[in-house]
Amino acid sequence: MLTIKDLHARVEEKTIIKGLNLEIKPGEVHAIMGPNGAGKSTLGYVLSGRDGYEVEQGEVTFKGANLLEMEVEERAQAGLFLAFQYPVEIPGVSNMEFMKESVNAMRKARGEDELSSAEFLKKAKEACKQVNLPLDFLKRGVNEGFSGGEKKRNEIMQLIMLEPKLAILDESDSGLDVDALQVVANGVNSQRDGERSFIVVTHYQRLLDFIEPDYVHILAQGKIVKSGGPELAKEVEASGYAWLGQADEGEEA
Amino acid sequence: MSEQIDQALARKYDAGFVSEVESETFPAGLDEDVIRRLSAIKGEPEWMLEWRLKAYRTWLKLTEPEWAHVDYPKIDYQDISYYSAPKSMKDKPKSLDEVDPELLRTYEKLGIPLHEQEMLAGVAVDAVFDSVSVVTTFREKLEEAGVIFCPISEALHKYPDLVKKYLGTVVPRGDNYFAALNSAVFTDGSFVYIPKGVRCPMELSTYFRINEQNTGQFERTLIVAEEGSYVSYLEGCTAPQRDENQLHAAVVELVALDDAEIKYSTVQNWYPGDENGKGGIYNFVTKRGLCEKNAKISWTQVETGSAVTWKYPSCILKGDNSVGEFYSVALTRGKQQADTGTKMIHLGKNTKSTIISKGISAGYSNNAYRGLVRMGPGAEGARNFTECDSLLIGDKCGAHTFPYIESSNPSAIVEHEATTSKVSDDQLFLCQQRGLDPEKAVSMIVNGFCKEVFRELPMEFAVEAGKLLEISLEGSVG
Ligand SMILES: Nc1ncnc2c1ncn2[C@@H]1O[C@H](COP(=O)(O)OP(=O)(O)O)[C@@H](O)[C@H]1O
Ligand SMILES: [Mg+2]
């Protein structure tokens, strides 16, 4: 599904990712943990092709294609999905319009017909229900005035609607209470079908109680410094990141 | 800002073609003789000629306004032709079958078929080509309701008393430099009269097209809504792509008598010039409405075209409880300049006004909102609410807000809110990550920003306006 070889990338003038390797097979769930500032979000942005994030060295193949040569929207259309750590507002553009454009752009790229309004609405309603968002969220502006938890659930709603091949969840758990965490995890689990892969970026182990990963990686200072099974997450939970030689700065506000 | 957005903002103008039509055009130049000839060609009554000449003499004494936040080379008024009409229009075609097919094709290409069976149901159109009206559709149907909708040149023959009674009552001949010029040389435009208590059965619209080179367009529109009547009117405008600037100086007067309502919408898409600021229309327009008791006037405008725009659709809220509204979207890109806004003059008791202005600036453009809210001494309990939002795309453009508030009545309440925001990289990235290309993303974000105004447009045109913004923002790739 995804192969990252010796990836080095910088933001502005600062190199953040420094020699990262990762192999993700279809159907696998990989958790990436690590202290604040380790480069977790940066990795998600580099993989999505965000402007300003420059690859200095290395290769990334996604479903056999050179990911680094593709535009942001081409990567998305090829099935790469990023659930944002800080979802941005688009005032005046309703969630409904936004998702309709999005779903249809993906379908168009795959050579499929656009969904009719009725078909789309049905899908949207189901997705809303799955993440426990009231239907009137479809009419509201994208993330406009949403609470932190609502924004995160909205990201998962989008994931469900877009049915990507590889989803990167960037701290989709931060700022959520246990109930909301459960909702987010259920949303993700419902999409696990043995084909679809996930990168679950999290600061804490607790999300991994609900979404069981196949592999856990510790990212620190731009590299994967340790990999293991689900038990590694528990170790981190017990000992923090202090053993990496730096203090755990705790969760961001 | 990314290169992609710059590309997405490269201009594209769909209406820039020229129609091959043989025209009768006055040589450039302006003096009393030109005005006499113009009036004679139109076979106008003597009083109209006198009125024009008085306006001309006033104009000679006025100076061109310089206070607007726009910058353009001095206009040589002797270098402009003041009349141009397709030769085929000389014999006054009686029906569409007699109209030069090339003219009809022009409107068809612009998406405005003039054959009634092909038209949007429920919309009557007056098509003005350079200085004359080509055709006005659905006239019989409107006449049944007692509604008059015809070229103003025709109204001067058929309904001279009505025109004489109201012309210049809202925008006086010598109101300002451009209005005086228009009063002297106006050629065509629409006349609308809605009788007492009548709800106009269709949307009325006028479509202005400048085609001939080196001509000015000076249209004049007069809408009179008698007591308790209602009308919704829309104007659209385009012009060919040319390297020379062309002047468009229009005057629109609205009269809403007691309990009447006029909804006036504009979708302005004059040629804006190229990316270096070469060519384009100078759009210097005076629009004003008068509200008697309990009357209401709403101006809604979507301004995407013109090299320079100078335009302040205004309401004089004379009657008690009258209501004025102004909803505006002004998009500038390339080197376009817009100085636009409104004046709400509250004279009567409990008068209300709402101003919603959305300015979008991209490229190297400059976009200014200029609005005056005046509460007269008699404006007991009057209220105004103004919301003025600017959206910047890129970092080379400018947005400016010039609100003026004058209150002579302590019981009047004026509220003003203003915001400035940017289309952020974050928003664009989110859209692209969800599979949208940057052009679609920008146009969606801009459409969202304009939603409050688009809601005010008649249904058929809200869709058009959205598309127009999209085209305006589209790159050369599309
Ligand atoms: N736009 C930027 N410009 C400069 N430095 C940045 C930028 N974005 C992130 N960084 C830096 O990159 C490092 C990694 O950030 P990030 O990927 O957000 O970490 P994480 O998600 O693991 O907390 C941090 O030191 C951060 O300050
Ligand atoms: Mg992060």
Side-chain angles (χ1 to χ4, degrees):
Chain A
M1 177 70 68
L2 182 79
T3 309
I4 306 176
K5 277 191 193 143
D6 193 29
L7 183 68
H8 294 249
R10 69 159 181 260
V11 194
E12 315 266 293
E13 292 309 308
K14 193 169 154 200
T15 302
I16 310 288
I17 306 290
K18 302 167 189 163
L20 190 138
N21 293 287
L22 189 63
E23 167 87 37
I24 297 177
K25 299 210 173 69
E28 289 179 352
V29 176
H30 291 241
I32 296 187
M33 302 180 75
N36 277 324
K40 304 184 296 295
S41 294
T42 302
L43 177 63
Y45 290 148
V46 171
L47 293 178
S48 331
R50 185 170 187 164
D51 223 36
Y53 289 73
E54 242 171 281
V55 173
E56 298 172 320
Q57 196 182 312
E59 282 169 33
V60 182
T61 40
F62 178 53
K63 297 194 299 165
N66 181 352
L67 187 72
L68 302 179
E69 271 181 357
M70 297 156 81
E71 298 289 346
V72 179
E73 63 271 23
E74 291 169 344
R75 298 179 196 206
Q77 289 159 4
L80 182 84
F81 179 91
L82 176 65
F84 288 81
Q85 182 174 2
Y86 303 110
V88 63
E89 299 188 2
I90 308 182
V93 177
S94 73
N95 243 341
M96 181 104 94
E97 286 169 82
F98 180 68
M99 283 318 290
K100 195 159 181 220
E101 292 289 351
S102 172
V103 166
N104 284 330
M106 305 288 192
R107 293 180 67 92
K108 207 170 145 206
R110 292 195 296 260
E112 297 168 9
D113 285 340
E114 296 197 348
L115 283 185
S116 72
S117 293
E119 287 168 317
F120 171 80
L121 199 63
K122 187 160 169 266
K123 221 171 135 89
K125 281 182 175 168
E126 277 166 16
C128 258
K129 218 183 265 164
Q130 250 185 294
V131 294
N132 220 353
L133 281 177
L135 289 182
D136 65 292
F137 269 73
L138 291 171
K139 289 193 208 131
R140 285 174 56 180
V142 176
N143 294 318
E144 208 180 345
F146 290 18
S147 73
E150 288 164 348
K151 284 183 184 173
K152 296 290 169 83
R153 276 187 275 162
N154 199 40
E155 293 293 293
I156 303 305
M157 197 266 280
Q158 297 180 10
L159 176 129
I160 292 170
M161 291 203 67
L162 294 176
E163 302 172 335
K165 300 277 185 275
L166 170 68
I168 304 169
L169 308 177
D170 192 355
E171 297 206 25
S172 295
D173 55 335
S174 58
L176 297 187
D177 59 32
V178 178
D179 289 343
L181 195 68
Q182 182 84 59
V183 167
V184 165
N186 287 349
V188 172
N189 288 331
S190 75
Q191 299 303 300
R192 286 178 80 164
D193 60 356
E195 282 301 313
R196 192 168 287 134
S197 311
F198 292 85
I199 298 177
V200 180
V201 172
T202 179
H203 200 77
Y204 291 109
Q205 196 267 336
R206 60 175 191 165
L207 179 66
L208 304 179
D209 289 340
F210 299 104
I211 305 175
E212 195 175 339
D214 299 302
Y215 299 94
V216 176
H217 310 278
I218 310 297
L219 182 69
Q221 289 166 347
K223 268 191 251 193
I224 288 177
V225 294
K226 197 166 184 187
S227 296
E231 72 288 347
L232 180 56
K234 301 214 163 67
E235 264 174 53
V236 168
E237 181 79 354
S239 57
Y241 297 107
W243 54 275
L244 293 169
Q246 63 179 87
D248 179 4
E249 294 156 43
E251 193 169 330
E252 288 156 72
Chain B
M1 197 72 21
S2 73
E3 208 171 293
Q4 283 163 320
I5 303 173
D6 284 345
Q7 261 174 29
L9 290 172
R11 64 189 49 237
K12 178 171 167 191
Y13 188 70
D14 274 357
F17 62 90
V18 178
S19 305
E20 293 303 326
V21 172
E22 236 193 299
S23 287
E24 180 187 0
T25 304
F26 281 11
L30 180 59
D31 56 23
E32 295 202 0
D33 269 355
V34 168
I35 294 169
R36 286 199 171 87
R37 275 177 59 207
L38 195 153
S39 185
I41 271 195
K42 302 226 163 225
E44 286 177 353
E46 186 59 28
W47 64 265
M48 192 65 247
L49 174 62
E50 282 309 311
W51 200 85
R52 287 176 180 278
L53 290 172
K54 279 186 193 151
Y56 176 66
R57 289 166 200 150
T58 308
W59 178 70
L60 287 175
K61 287 184 228 139
L62 294 169
T63 49
E64 205 167 321
E66 281 174 356
W67 42 262
H69 195 89
V70 294
D71 183 26
Y72 57 92
K74 201 127 197 74
I75 298 170
D76 181 353
Y77 291 90
Q78 296 304 333
D79 203 27
I80 297 171
S81 163
Y82 289 84
Y83 182 84
S84 178
K87 279 202 174 132
S88 61
M89 292 305 295
K90 216 164 176 182
D91 329 319
K92 301 220 164 58
K94 296 274 170 313
S95 73
L96 268 186
D97 304 337
E98 293 175 27
V99 173
D100 179 357
E102 180 63 22
L103 286 174
L104 297 180
R105 263 198 298 279
T106 300
Y107 287 92
E108 220 148 275
K109 260 165 110 172
L110 295 167
I112 308 153
L114 296 176
H115 291 281
E116 295 189 358
Q117 61 273 26
E118 295 164 20
M119 295 192 47
L120 279 172
V123 183
V125 176
D126 182 15
V128 178
F129 191 88
D130 288 333
S131 306
V132 290
S133 168
V134 175
V135 70
T136 311
T137 63
F138 291 113
R139 286 168 72 157
E140 280 102 58
K141 183 159 180 211
L142 290 168
E143 270 160 29
E144 279 168 32
V147 170
I148 302 172
F149 178 42
C150 70
I152 199 159
S153 54
E154 188 183 319
L156 276 163
H157 292 265
K158 283 198 181 157
Y159 318 100
D161 297 342
L162 270 179
V163 178
K164 196 172 177 183
K165 182 171 175 192
Y166 291 106
L167 190 75
T169 57
V170 187
V171 179
R173 272 193 308 253
D175 186 79
N176 67 69
Y177 189 78
F178 298 116
L181 178 63
N182 175 285
S183 301
V185 302
F186 76 85
T187 41
D188 227 330
S190 300
F191 175 72
V192 176
Y193 178 81
I194 317 290
K196 192 167 165 176
V198 169
R199 196 180 163 85
C200 184
M202 322 179 76
E203 297 276 344
L204 305 184
S205 80
T206 303
Y207 197 89
F208 296 99
R209 174 76 177 167
I210 298 180
N211 187 59
E212 193 61 25
Q213 206 153 357
N214 296 325
T215 56
Q217 194 175 41
F218 305 95
E219 88 256 2
R220 183 125 196 157
T221 295
L222 174 60
I223 300 179
V224 179
E226 286 277 7
E227 283 171 35
S229 67
Y230 169 86
V231 63
S232 169
Y233 175 94
L234 182 124
E235 61 172 353
C237 9
T238 58
Q241 200 156 337
R242 295 190 194 280
D243 287 346
E244 301 80 29
N245 293 107
Q246 276 178 290
L247 177 63
H248 169 255
V251 170
V252 174
E253 294 180 277
L254 310 183
V255 179
L257 297 176
D258 292 359
D259 303 298
E261 180 176 349
I262 302 175
K263 208 171 152 53
Y264 192 105
S265 313
T266 303
V267 176
Q268 187 264 106
N269 186 25
W270 295 118
Y271 178 55
D274 70 9
E275 66 272 23
N276 301 313
K278 200 173 170 71
I281 303 290
Y282 293 152
N283 190 34
F284 300 150
V285 172
T286 305
K287 292 182 165 171
R288 195 174 301 153
L290 176 75
C291 284
E292 296 288 354
K293 229 182 286 165
N294 303 320
K296 176 174 172 184
I297 289 180
S298 296
W299 297 102
T300 303
Q301 59 173 27
V302 176
E303 305 273 322
T304 60
S306 298
V308 182
T309 296
W310 178 100
K311 178 181 170 190
Y312 316 90
S314 304
C315 297
I316 300 172
L317 304 172
K318 176 170 166 246
D320 293 349
N321 308 313
S322 59
V323 176
E325 294 175 339
F326 174 73
Y327 300 99
S328 171
V329 165
L331 171 94
T332 54
R333 61 201 197 278
K335 297 242 164 99
Q336 276 177 286
Q337 308 172 61
D339 193 297
T340 184
T342 183
K343 287 188 252 180
M344 292 292 175
I345 311 296
H346 292 251
L347 301 176
K349 285 197 200 78
N350 298 317
T351 45
K352 272 203 206 76
S353 65
T354 304
I355 299 172
I356 309 280
S357 162
K358 304 275 180 178
I360 302 134
S361 334
Y364 294 86
S365 69
N366 262 304
N367 203 327
Y369 165 80
R370 189 182 302 278
L372 167 69
V373 177
R374 179 182 294 152
M375 297 296 184
E380 271 308 300
R383 292 197 71 139
N384 160 265
F385 173 75
T386 299
E387 179 189 323
C388 186
D389 300 322
S390 307
L391 182 69
L392 301 171
I393 306 175
D395 50 14
K396 303 172 204 100
C397 51
H400 317 272
T401 310
F402 305 102
Y404 306 90
I405 296 166
E406 300 170 7
S407 186
S408 321
N409 189 311
S411 72
I413 299 171
V414 179
E415 280 176 89
H416 180 93
E417 288 175 9
T419 64
T420 299
S421 52
K422 279 187 98 151
V423 171
S424 70
D425 291 343
D426 285 345
Q427 289 171 328
L428 272 172
F429 178 58
L430 167 62
C431 294
Q432 284 181 270
Q433 214 302 306
R434 298 300 184 253
L436 308 180
D437 63 55
E439 285 175 13
K440 181 80 216 168
V442 171
S443 88
M444 192 171 69
I445 294 167
V446 169
N447 263 295
F449 174 75
C450 301
K451 184 156 284 175
E452 282 163 281
V453 173
F454 286 172
R455 228 183 351 233
E456 297 300 324
L457 284 173
M459 255 272 277
E460 299 85 339
F461 301 109
V463 179
E464 286 307 305
K467 278 196 209 138
L468 182 60
L469 276 193
E470 198 162 322
I471 290 167
S472 300
L473 290 163
E474 218 168 80
S476 36
V477 260

